Amino acid sequence: MKKMLVSILALVAGVGVGGGAAYGTGRLLAAPMPTVEKLEFVPTGPILAPLVFSDGRLASYVSFEVQLEVPADRRDDIAAKMPVLLNAVNMRTYRTPMASGRDGTIPSLAAFRRVVFDAAQETYGKNVVRRAIVTQAAPI
């Protein structure tokens, strides 16, 4: 009986000392909790873009719907400068070959996403737009 009582006391004391040490170490070395930035998606509206072959010939036109992931506190700034972004996208699309498929009517979504993201970096500055997501593409 005495051995069992000593074993239980050793277990309780060990848990108490270990828990106290963990709590003390956590309080001593605690780093501030990182703040999580709230992000929102801002729609760009329809973007009409030319589909160009790699040799520079015009294949057709396509309408894209895109959403930009931005910090929630910058949403109004992004919306106010949307015409500048659309102009920057337009100035890039005719130089970027995005037509694929035999007749050139299939747009390369990865190429267009890169065009929009690069134009957003130029328009709004680095690290403002987290990503650009193409939500719809329709040939015209």
Side-chain angles (χ1 to χ4, degrees):
M1 182 74 174
K2 187 175 180 184
K3 282 185 174 184
M4 191 149 126
L5 185 60
V6 170
S7 297
I8 291 174
L9 278 171
L11 178 66
V12 170
V15 168
V17 169
Y23 177 76
T25 303
R27 296 280 291 173
L28 184 64
L29 300 177
M33 293 296 289
T35 58
V36 178
E37 188 175 35
K38 186 175 178 183
L39 301 174
E40 290 184 3
F41 285 98
V42 177
T44 61
I47 300 173
L48 183 65
L51 287 180
V52 179
F53 287 112
S54 59
D55 62 358
R57 290 182 301 124
L58 178 66
S60 64
Y61 286 90
V62 67
S63 176
F64 290 101
E65 293 280 338
V66 179
Q67 292 195 7
L68 305 174
E69 186 177 30
V70 298
D73 59 342
R74 301 283 310 262
R75 181 181 178 89
D76 294 334
D77 297 338
I78 300 299
K81 288 186 176 179
M82 194 61 67
V84 178
L85 172 68
L86 296 177
N87 180 53
V89 168
N90 189 33
M91 298 308 280
R92 283 178 167 76
T93 53
Y94 76 92
R95 295 181 302 206
T96 305
M98 292 189 297
S100 59
R102 196 173 63 185
D103 56 355
T105 59
I106 302 172
S108 171
L109 296 181
F112 187 71
R113 184 173 33 250
R114 173 55 49 195
V115 165
V116 172
F117 186 74
D118 290 344
Q121 294 291 318
E122 177 187 300
T123 303
Y124 302 116
K126 299 282 184 195
N127 300 324
V128 174
V129 175
R130 301 296 192 258
R131 61 184 169 157
I133 298 174
V134 178
T135 57
Q136 184 179 3
I140 293 182

